[in-house]
Amino acid sequence: MTLAQPTSSVILVVEDDYLLRCDTVQRLEEQGFAALAASNADEAIAILEQRRDVTVIFTDIDMPGSMDGLKLAHAVRGRWPPIKIIATSGDADLRANDLPDGGRFVAKPYSFQQLTSVIREITLA
Amino acid sequence: MSATAPLNSTIESLNAELRAADPRLVANDDFLRGVLAGCGDCIEILDLDGRLQFISEAGKRVMEVDDVGKFSGHVWLDFWSGDGRLAAERAVEAAKAGDIGRFKGRAPTAKGNQRYWDVQVSAIHDSTGKPSHLLCILRDLTEEWRFTTELKTAIERQALLATELHHRIKNTLAMVAAIANQTIRGDDIMAAREAFTARVLTLSHAHDILTQTSWAKAPIRKVMDGALAPHRSGQGRIIASGPDFELQPRQALALSLAIHELATNAAKYGALSGEGQVNVAWGAKSIDDVPSFHLTWTESGGPPVIEPEPQRKGFGSRLIEKMLANEFKGTVRTFYRPDGVVCELITPLSELDDGGTNNS
């Protein structure tokens, strides 16, 4: 099943858990998005430095490494302001407030309907 | 507030009450001694310079004083240190001013054991109404204080564990959702259901092992036994051996799922579908001068092996090859040898100890 999407939507999925990362990338591709994968913030930054076509970054917040997802979100906002930010975590309590302005939060586990509708909203806005 | 004015009336009314009870109690030293001895608190008398003059029998007991001579004349404030010292100074000042000074603080006994005290300091007045001594009453609150402190710690720990557990459950549910997404595909719903349930049960067994160590580490032997148990037929056709290693939680989950997939494939198409055997061996060895961990799954004696077409490799193969390699930060290779499938994991030994990069 492939839905028509603006071909300009390239989504970078940042998730340290292999299963979730691959599943998310695959499901997004099935929905007609172009998706890239990074397993931590450093990899994500390296990809963004290489590619100019990423429109949305979808990042897990709880990640090991030099930066967690929140720090990554702020770094991305600082260096690549046009990139839209969606974050996810099993901790539903806070965190939308800690995101950069306009950043969106999707609680884990998320449905793909939920995720894709947030992607559509922020990319069309 | 000064206690001087109502003092005489207090003494008079006390005497009146005692006289009413029994006239022999009035101005009676034995009565005073009895009260001092019977009171379980530590009663101390200081002179106006704050030097210890007297300590009651119960006081010697709770203060663990064997030789009262050693403490006689000791500056009472010196028993206190830190915040307690400040509070004690304030209490003494209050008592001298005619108030009752109260505080709670820690001070060691004569034998150096820390105790937590509820302290009250007041002045004793002479017949002219002038302060002549200071009276300190110390109640040992150590048990209550210890209990309260432990309770506080336990409550904080409880809250932390609840948060962690919540987080873990959410992550696990996300994993289960991903497994469902990846497993429930194609037209054969019955087969998909079976495969899904078996994968979730494998995850569940791995959780059992991790729960025993509070998600710190998992002994590889237990992980292996847990993942292989549903596939054993009781005929000893699967042999698993290797030294003890501790795995990171996510390595344990990945290895469980991979071993389950390998065993499932072996039962469907490989050595366990016929008369063959599986040998799983792991250990440490130096590979290209790097101390490494290796694990090898070797099938033998089964039907002839045909390598599946790449497009027919499904989620199970990804669990074996990609997830395992990813969580161990190593390489996984599968060889479709004519006499049986061989799957090999190699990773630097340091990846097994690396607690900092594999949590959450």
Side-chain angles (χ1 to χ4, degrees), chain B residues 157-359:
Chain B
R157 192 175 146 68
Q158 184 80 24
L160 197 72
L161 285 177
T163 311
E164 264 183 43
L165 185 63
H166 173 82
H167 196 189
R168 196 157 287 148
I169 288 170
K170 291 291 185 174
N171 272 338
T172 304
L173 289 175
M175 266 182 101
V176 171
I179 291 175
N181 287 340
Q182 295 295 322
T183 307
I184 303 169
R185 283 166 183 257
D187 298 329
D188 192 345
I189 282 291
M190 290 301 282
R193 255 188 223 162
E194 283 295 311
F196 174 67
T197 308
R199 282 166 180 160
V200 170
L201 285 180
T202 304
L203 205 56
S204 170
H205 286 143
H207 273 237
D208 289 343
I209 296 161
L210 286 165
T211 303
Q212 287 168 14
T213 61
S214 304
W215 279 70
K217 291 255 177 172
I220 188 169
R221 201 179 297 276
K222 280 192 173 183
V223 172
M224 195 61 77
D225 287 347
L228 288 173
H231 302 281
R232 289 188 189 277
S233 58
Q235 295 165 291
R237 292 168 61 194
I238 306 176
I239 295 162
S241 64
D244 291 332
F245 282 101
E246 299 283 337
L247 302 179
Q248 302 294 328
R250 284 182 27 185
Q251 294 171 339
L253 295 179
L255 183 62
S256 294
L257 286 169
I259 291 294
H260 165 71
E261 297 303 325
L262 284 166
T264 304
N265 289 347
K268 272 194 200 162
Y269 323 107
L272 299 178
S273 69
E275 300 293 309
Q277 287 201 355
V278 174
N279 187 54
V280 195
W282 64 87
K285 67 178 172 191
S286 183
I287 297 173
D288 297 334
D289 287 336
V290 180
S292 300
F293 171 81
H294 70 95
L295 183 147
T296 313
W297 169 282
T298 309
E299 298 181 27
S300 58
V305 170
I306 306 151
E307 176 161 4
E309 302 287 314
Q311 66 268 26
R312 291 210 53 229
K313 285 191 173 184
F315 178 54
S317 297
R318 286 214 301 283
L319 287 178
I320 296 165
E321 292 176 359
K322 301 277 177 52
M323 185 177 181
L324 197 57
N326 199 78
E327 300 298 7
F328 279 82
K329 298 197 168 54
T331 55
V332 174
R333 287 185 300 173
T334 310
F335 305 97
Y336 297 89
R337 295 190 182 145
D339 50 335
V341 169
V342 174
C343 183
E344 179 188 69
L345 161 69
I346 293 172
T347 192
L349 208 48
S350 57
E351 289 298 337
L352 268 60
D353 305 318
D354 202 346
T357 59
N358 257 317
N359 50 15

Side-chain angles (χ1 to χ4, degrees), chain A residues 64-109:
Chain A
S66 61
M67 262 191 261
D68 67 7
L70 275 181
K71 285 192 187 141
L72 173 64
H74 285 278
V76 168
R77 174 51 50 84
R79 285 183 66 182
W80 296 279
I83 296 180
K84 311 283 187 189
I85 293 161
I86 309 173
T88 185
S89 168
D91 286 335
D93 42 349
L94 59 127
R95 303 225 174 167
N97 296 336
D98 303 335
L99 286 172
D101 276 351
R104 297 287 294 268
F105 180 81
V106 176
K108 251 187 199 178

